Amino acid sequence: MGHCDLLLWRNPVETGKVFGGLLVALLVLKKVNLVTFFLRVLYTTLFLSSAVEFASKFVLGQGLVTKYGVQECPNVAGMLRPKLEAALARLPAYQTQVRRLVFAASPQQTFKAAGLLYVLHILVSFFSVWTLALLSVVGAFTLPVVYHKYQREIDDAVHQGLALAKAKSAEAQKMASETAAPYIKQIDEKFGPVSHYFIPKTPSSSGPAAQKPAAPSTASSSKGSVVEPSQGASSAASFPSVPSAKIPESATKEVEEEDIDIEQLKQEMKGNKEASAL
């Protein structure tokens, strides 16, 4: 019989036994001090055992407790070993889950666990552990049956409540923004120079069109000129291209003619020096 069948009362006899046993155990825990109870049971058992053994040896010559008592202890280790091994085999998976939960491998799950522990802390501070245990047992054996029977109605009520809560939260947010708008405007007017730093720039002032460098200007001359780039704003994304300088052919011809004239002057000066020496 599964846990779902047990909580849904599929077999009322079995479920009644478990539910009644848990309630009796909780009542015993509430009314009886377990420490004194077990101590009383132990010393009463030992006293009776010793008294019967002493009296039977004195009267019959043989102890009845040693003759008819339990001769061998039950194999508790053999019964518990398979269960302990199965529990220890599942322990690494639980350790991994705890580690992931503590070290926030999934922050959402860690936040949910923290919220659940906080709710339990509040409940324990207001109610005793026995009261919480009793409410848990009664709720475990009643709430699943009620939800299974009225599932559609409960789901509809939950969806309506969530929709109403979302609408109320949106309305409250809108009212809060409308109420705070005049104060924000006053702060903006009072601390204008400071508040402008928090206002995002418009695309026209910070877009790529504003960062585009100006077109290079050309200056013409009669014999040719070298195109100079204009000084414009440059950004880290694009730099102005360096224009190529082209020397006109007329300038090169004049330089060649000047070189020829210089050579002729050098030869004439050399001939004048030789004539003066003679």
Side-chain angles (χ1 to χ4, degrees):
M1 187 175 182
H3 298 290
C4 295
D5 296 335
L6 184 67
L7 297 179
L8 292 176
W9 295 78
R10 300 286 173 79
N11 190 346
V13 176
E14 296 294 331
T15 305
K17 290 180 181 179
V18 176
F19 184 52
L22 290 175
L23 290 179
V24 171
L26 288 175
L27 292 175
V28 170
L29 289 175
K30 179 68 173 178
K31 299 297 182 180
V32 179
N33 189 346
L34 294 179
V35 177
T36 57
F37 173 76
F38 282 113
L39 289 176
R40 183 178 297 178
V41 170
L42 287 175
Y43 79 72
T44 303
T45 302
L46 295 176
F47 178 77
L48 291 176
S49 175
S50 61
V52 171
E53 182 69 15
F54 178 77
S56 61
K57 279 187 177 182
F58 182 77
V59 176
L60 302 176
Q62 185 180 4
L64 297 178
V65 176
T66 56
K67 182 179 181 179
Y68 296 105
V70 177
Q71 302 298 324
E72 295 181 357
C73 297
N75 189 8
V76 179
M79 291 187 298
L80 295 179
R81 183 174 297 165
K83 298 180 179 180
L84 290 176
E85 289 179 354
L88 292 175
R90 294 191 298 266
L91 184 60
Y94 295 137
Q95 287 179 326
T96 302
Q97 292 179 0
V98 172
R99 178 184 60 80
R100 290 174 59 85
L101 187 66
V102 172
F103 292 99
S106 176
Q108 185 178 4
Q109 297 297 329
T110 305
F111 184 78
K112 290 180 180 179
L116 179 61
L117 292 177
Y118 177 75
V119 172
L120 289 177
H121 168 71
I122 297 298
L123 292 176
V124 172
S125 62
F126 284 102
F127 303 99
S128 62
V129 177
W130 184 87
T131 304
L132 293 176
L134 179 62
L135 292 176
S136 300
V137 171
V138 174
F141 283 90
T142 55
L143 294 179
V145 179
V146 174
Y147 178 74
H148 186 266
K149 188 175 182 180
Y150 302 101
Q151 182 176 2
R152 182 177 299 177
E153 291 81 359
I154 294 174
D155 290 341
D156 294 339
V158 170
H159 288 310
Q160 290 178 2
L162 291 176
L164 182 61
K166 290 181 180 179
K168 292 295 183 181
S169 62
E171 184 179 355
Q173 184 178 3
K174 183 179 179 181
M175 291 177 61
S177 61
E178 291 177 355
T179 305
Y183 299 100
I184 296 174
K185 186 176 180 181
Q186 291 178 3
I187 294 173
D188 188 16
E189 293 176 354
K190 189 174 182 180
F191 303 99
V194 178
S195 62
H196 286 312
Y197 288 102
F198 301 97
I199 299 175
K201 297 181 180 180
T202 58
S204 60
S205 60
S206 61
Q211 298 178 356
K212 185 177 180 181
S217 60
T218 58
S220 60
S221 62
S222 60
K223 294 184 180 181
S225 61
V226 178
V227 179
E228 297 181 357
S230 61
Q231 295 180 356
S234 61
S235 62
S238 63
F239 292 93
S241 58
V242 180
S244 60
K246 184 177 181 181
I247 302 175
E249 297 180 358
S250 59
T252 55
K253 290 181 180 180
E254 290 179 357
V255 172
E256 292 177 357
E257 291 177 357
E258 290 179 357
D259 293 339
I260 295 173
D261 295 338
I262 291 172
E263 293 295 333
Q264 290 179 357
L265 291 175
K266 288 181 179 180
Q267 291 179 1
E268 291 179 357
M269 291 175 66
K270 186 176 181 182
N272 294 331
K273 288 181 180 180
E274 292 178 356
S276 60
L278 292 175

